């Protein structure tokens, strides 16, 4: 079997952001379900949180390419 | 941006130099840019930005402003139309009211006139009736007095004739005759005419 | 990574893999030179990007030239996108005082990213330009320069730099806080901005390549059982194409949203 262990590292680094993004959107859906009129405000915050959490996964991707 | 300090990157580039394409940049890590592409991207984006900033956005903003103005203008126009409609309605209502008043007036007049006519007619009829009644009364009175006068003469003559015949005593003396007749009539009127006295 | 490298052309991806079993798509699939060599090669993504710029410019100018009060179909479409960026992103995030200056930039970013991403699934092209890191980096450079310059011009250089650090914290925390905040503003934000777009487009296109090439391999080289299985592979490619369309729109939105957020952070008074 051929491949690169760095890709495995990327897989591991994606776990945390995956859970984090799930939590962010779960909270977002909860918030909208309780207060549909707050959707606009919550959406921006949720996307921002999503971007911040995703940044970690992106670092993983970058490092997977750098150290291989 | 030269990443010569990063040994793994250089190693990687060197390692992949013998790719089938034979191009040294073909095997470059996907997170390192090809400078030609980077500069091309910057220039092309600059052109697009220029086009959008100079042509598209001003046009759209102009449309937005025009639309806002049109909506405001439309509102003013609508207000005007509403005011006109309201004025027309007020006028119409005033006219209606006037017409109604007029109708009432006419009706009232008609009623008054009608009642006046009726009253007049009634008055006339009353007057006629009164006149007729009076005439009748007068005639009756005249006839009665005539009848009474006639009757008096007649009754007097008859009774004197009768009495003279019965009593055989001439009562042609004027004064006595009148006295007797008057006494008789008075008795007759009072209702206690003593028939038995005459009969007997 | 010692995977066998496939040819540079996707037209015959299996040409060099003949007889050696299936080879997964590699990042080299994305390098597609037309002429030239080295760093100054004219590549296919350049052609696609140039085409997108020409197409967008032509379409936007043609559709908004009249700028009628009652929009036609095309103008309505443009206005939907413009309204989305202008009122949904720029005005809400930057604030109604200063947003109008940045609307052209944000609108250009949104449109160019959206169109280039969608090129990834539009048949004659089928190449997401943003899966070549150079283009996300170019766009990020623009945003990076714009938000720093906007912040410095508004607050002055010194005040801008000190304004990045939150105030009123206990002293020892600043040792940790100052490098973190500067790294955030000067490194992490631009890096993640470019890499997020690149990573999503790259991985998405790689996934599609994998399903299509895998299906093709099974169909051409496999036995009867594999030939039937290839239908599943192609079906997955179709499903992921639809999914990609969603991701592509979302990435254009997120890039524009984050650009607006960074600009807003740079010019807002409090931080």
């Amino acid at each position: 079997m051929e491949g690169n262990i760095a890709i495995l590292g990327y897989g591991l680094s994606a776990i945390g952001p995956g859970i984090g993004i799930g939590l962010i959107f779960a909270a977002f859906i909860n918030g909208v379900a309780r207060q549909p009129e707050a959707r606009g405000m919550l959406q921006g915050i949720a996307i921002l949180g999503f971007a911040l959490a995703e940044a970690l996964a992106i670092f993983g991707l970058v490092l997977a390419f750098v150290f291989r | 941006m030269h990443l010569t300090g990063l040994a793994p990157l250089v190693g990687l580039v060197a390692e992949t130099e013998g790719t089938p394409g034979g191009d040294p940049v073909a095997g470059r890590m996907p997170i390192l840019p090809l400078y030609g592409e980077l500069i091309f991207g910057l220039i092309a984006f600059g052109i697009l930005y220029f086009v959008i900033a100079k042509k598209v956005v001003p046009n759209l903003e102009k449309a937005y402003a025009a639309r806002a103005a049109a909506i405001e203008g439309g509102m003013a126009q609508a207000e005007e139309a509403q005011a006109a409609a309201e004025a027309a309605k007020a006028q119409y209502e005033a006219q209606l009211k006037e017409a109604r008043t007029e109708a009432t007036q006419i009706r009232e007049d008609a009623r008054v006139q009608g009642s006046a006519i009726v009253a007049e007619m009634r008055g006339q009829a009353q007057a006629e009736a009164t006149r007729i009644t009076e005439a009748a009364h007068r005639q009756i009175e005249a006839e009665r007095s005539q009848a009474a006068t006639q009757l008096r003469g007649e009754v007097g003559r008859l009774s004197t004739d009768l009495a003279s015949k019965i009593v055989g005593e001439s009562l042609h003396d004027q004064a006595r005759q009148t006295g007797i007749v008057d006494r008789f009539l008075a008795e007759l009127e009072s209702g206690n005419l003593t028939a038995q006295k005459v009969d007997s | 990574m010692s995977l066998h490298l496939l040819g540079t052309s996707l037209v015959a991806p299996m040409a060099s893999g003949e007889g050696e079993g299936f080879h997964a798509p590699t990042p080299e699939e994305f390098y597609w030179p037309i002429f030239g060599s080295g760093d100054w090669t004219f590549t296919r993504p350049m052609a696609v990007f140039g085409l997108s710029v020409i197409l967008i410019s032509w379409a936007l100018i043609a559709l908004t030239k009249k700028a009628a009060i009652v929009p036609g179909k095309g103008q309505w479409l443009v206005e939907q996108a413009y309204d989305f960026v202008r009122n949904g992103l720029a005005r809400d995030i930057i604030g109604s005082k200063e947003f109008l200056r940045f609307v052209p930039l944000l609108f250009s970013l949104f449109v160019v990213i959206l169109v280039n991403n969608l090129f990834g699934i539009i048949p004659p092209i089928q190449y997401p330009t943003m899966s070549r890191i150079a283009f996300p980096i170019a766009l990020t450079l623009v945003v990076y320069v714009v938000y720093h310059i906007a912040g410095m011009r508004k607050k002055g250089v010194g005040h801008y730099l000190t304004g990045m650090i939150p105030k009123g914290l206990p002293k020892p925390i600043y040792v940790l806080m100052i490098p973190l905040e500067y790294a955030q503003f000067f490194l992490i934000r631009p890096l993640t901005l470019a890499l997020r777009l690149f990573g999503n487009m790259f991985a998405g296109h790689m996934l599609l390549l994998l399903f299509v090439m895998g299906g093709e391999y099974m169909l051409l080289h496999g036995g009867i059982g594999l030939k039937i299985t290839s239908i599943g592979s192609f079906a997955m490619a179709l499903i992921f194409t639809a999914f990609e369309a969603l991701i592509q729109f979302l990435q254009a939105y997120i890039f524009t949203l984050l650009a607006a957020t960074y600009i807003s952070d740079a010019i807002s008074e409090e931080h």
Side-chain angles (χ1 to χ4, degrees):
Chain A
M1 187 172 165
E2 294 174 343
N4 195 323
I5 195 83
I7 299 298
L8 213 59
Y10 171 60
L12 289 175
S13 82
I15 296 174
I19 294 170
I21 291 167
L23 289 176
I24 287 165
F25 280 101
F28 172 56
I29 291 165
N30 262 331
V32 173
R34 284 190 191 173
Q35 256 176 303
E37 70 274 10
R39 187 200 184 101
M41 215 172 68
L42 289 178
Q43 194 162 15
I45 300 169
I47 298 275
L48 208 65
F50 158 74
L52 290 178
E54 204 199 16
L56 296 174
I58 289 168
F59 289 142
L61 178 74
V62 172
L63 293 178
F65 281 120
V66 171
F67 302 105
R68 62 174 185 175
Chain B
M1 186 164 141
H2 285 285
L3 291 165
T4 41
L6 290 170
L9 308 187
V10 179
L12 185 100
V13 171
E15 178 197 40
T16 52
E17 271 192 1
T19 49
D23 201 324
V25 292
R28 182 180 284 176
M29 288 195 323
I31 57 160
L32 288 184
L34 194 69
Y35 298 117
E37 285 182 351
L38 180 62
I39 288 163
F40 181 86
L42 278 174
I43 292 169
F45 183 74
I47 292 168
L48 180 70
Y49 175 76
F50 182 80
V51 166
I52 284 180
K54 285 278 171 269
K55 295 259 180 205
V56 178
V57 169
N59 271 348
L60 284 173
E61 287 295 331
K62 210 168 63 193
Y64 271 46
R67 194 166 303 155
I71 287 167
E72 264 165 32
M75 270 173 158
Q77 210 171 346
E79 246 161 52
E80 214 168 277
Q82 198 170 5
E86 214 121 279
K89 192 180 164 207
Q91 196 185 350
Y92 165 76
E93 259 170 18
Q95 277 177 354
L96 194 67
K97 201 171 167 191
E98 205 176 313
R100 207 171 281 158
T101 322
E102 207 173 329
T104 316
Q105 184 82 38
I106 289 169
R107 214 177 308 133
E108 188 74 15
D109 279 0
R111 206 158 56 78
V112 167
Q113 222 167 345
S115 59
I117 289 169
V118 169
E120 198 184 339
M121 295 293 270
R122 192 177 290 155
Q124 274 179 5
Q126 194 83 36
E128 187 80 2
T130 315
R131 199 178 53 75
I132 290 169
T133 317
E134 253 166 37
H137 277 200
R138 256 201 313 278
Q139 202 171 349
I140 289 165
E141 187 63 30
E143 270 170 16
R144 196 180 69 85
S145 63
Q146 194 185 355
T149 316
Q150 210 174 346
L151 199 61
R152 185 168 287 176
E154 199 93 351
V155 167
R157 202 173 41 82
L158 270 174
S159 41
T160 28
D161 281 357
L162 190 61
S164 61
K165 268 177 193 157
I166 293 165
V167 180
E169 179 187 6
S170 179
L171 290 172
H172 289 295
D173 186 350
Q174 188 65 32
R176 275 170 73 185
Q177 193 180 359
T178 313
I180 290 165
V181 170
D182 280 349
R183 202 168 58 236
F184 172 71
L185 281 176
E187 273 171 13
L188 203 69
E189 275 176 1
S190 68
N192 51 0
L193 182 68
T194 48
Q196 301 101 326
K197 212 189 218 172
V198 176
D199 280 351
S200 59
Chain C
M1 201 163 176
S2 55
L3 288 170
H4 190 94
L5 295 173
L6 297 166
T8 50
S9 163
L10 285 182
V11 183
M14 303 312 295
S16 60
E18 201 68 57
E20 296 176 45
F22 177 65
H23 296 277
T26 64
E28 282 77 17
E29 309 285 349
F30 291 84
Y31 180 64
W32 201 331
I34 293 177
F35 58 82
S37 66
D39 263 326
W40 308 106
T41 316
F42 187 78
T43 57
R44 182 147 185 238
M46 283 183 178
V48 174
F49 195 74
L51 176 72
S52 77
V53 166
I54 292 166
L55 269 181
I56 294 168
S57 306
W58 172 77
L60 286 183
I61 288 178
L63 291 177
T64 60
K65 200 191 293 172
K66 277 193 296 179
I69 290 172
V70 180
K73 243 183 200 161
Q75 195 190 335
W76 182 82
L77 207 70
V78 173
E79 273 182 15
Q80 287 300 105
Y82 183 70
D83 219 49
F84 178 68
V85 174
R86 180 186 188 265
N87 298 337
L89 288 174
R91 197 175 57 188
D92 284 5
I93 293 170
I94 300 176
S96 53
K97 251 199 307 193
E98 297 174 279
F99 79 102
L100 220 50
R101 274 196 295 152
F102 299 105
V103 165
L105 175 70
L106 294 175
F107 186 54
S108 319
L109 283 173
F110 179 72
V111 175
V112 87
I113 294 171
L114 184 64
V115 169
N116 275 293
N117 284 355
L118 289 177
F119 275 166
I121 55 168
I122 292 173
I125 299 157
Q126 280 183 320
Y127 192 105
T129 330
M130 297 299 159
S131 63
R132 291 294 287 177
I133 186 84
F135 296 100
I137 286 180
L139 299 183
T140 305
L141 263 181
V142 173
V143 174
Y144 187 70
V145 168
V146 162
Y147 81 77
H148 280 310
I149 287 184
M152 285 173 189
R153 265 175 54 182
K154 179 143 188 233
K155 302 180 190 169
V157 178
H159 192 234
Y160 175 62
L161 291 178
T162 52
M164 291 176 183
I165 313 295
K167 291 174 184 58
L169 294 175
K171 281 244 159 59
I173 292 190
Y174 278 114
V175 179
L176 198 68
M177 210 59 187
I178 289 172
L180 268 181
E181 285 289 324
Y182 281 126
Q184 165 89 349
F185 269 87
F186 288 102
L187 282 177
I188 297 176
R189 281 186 169 186
L191 272 181
T192 54
L193 191 61
L195 288 168
R196 173 178 301 111
L197 180 56
F198 157 74
N200 275 285
M201 287 306 103
F202 179 80
H205 200 62
M206 190 84 115
L207 205 61
L208 290 187
L209 273 183
L210 181 69
F211 280 119
V212 172
M213 286 167 70
E216 190 185 5
Y217 181 80
M218 286 192 282
L219 190 66
L220 296 180
H221 303 276
I224 182 73
L226 277 181
K227 280 192 204 302
I228 291 167
T229 328
S230 73
I231 295 169
S233 183
F234 285 124
M236 282 301 277
L238 274 180
I239 292 167
F240 270 92
T241 303
F243 183 65
E244 270 303 289
L246 177 70
I247 296 285
Q248 284 161 350
F249 174 78
L250 200 66
Q251 286 306 317
Y253 171 64
I254 287 176
F255 192 98
T256 318
L257 175 86
L258 287 176
T261 310
Y262 296 164
I263 290 171
S264 150
D265 272 3
I267 62 175
S268 69
E269 288 300 335
E270 78 288 348
H271 175 69

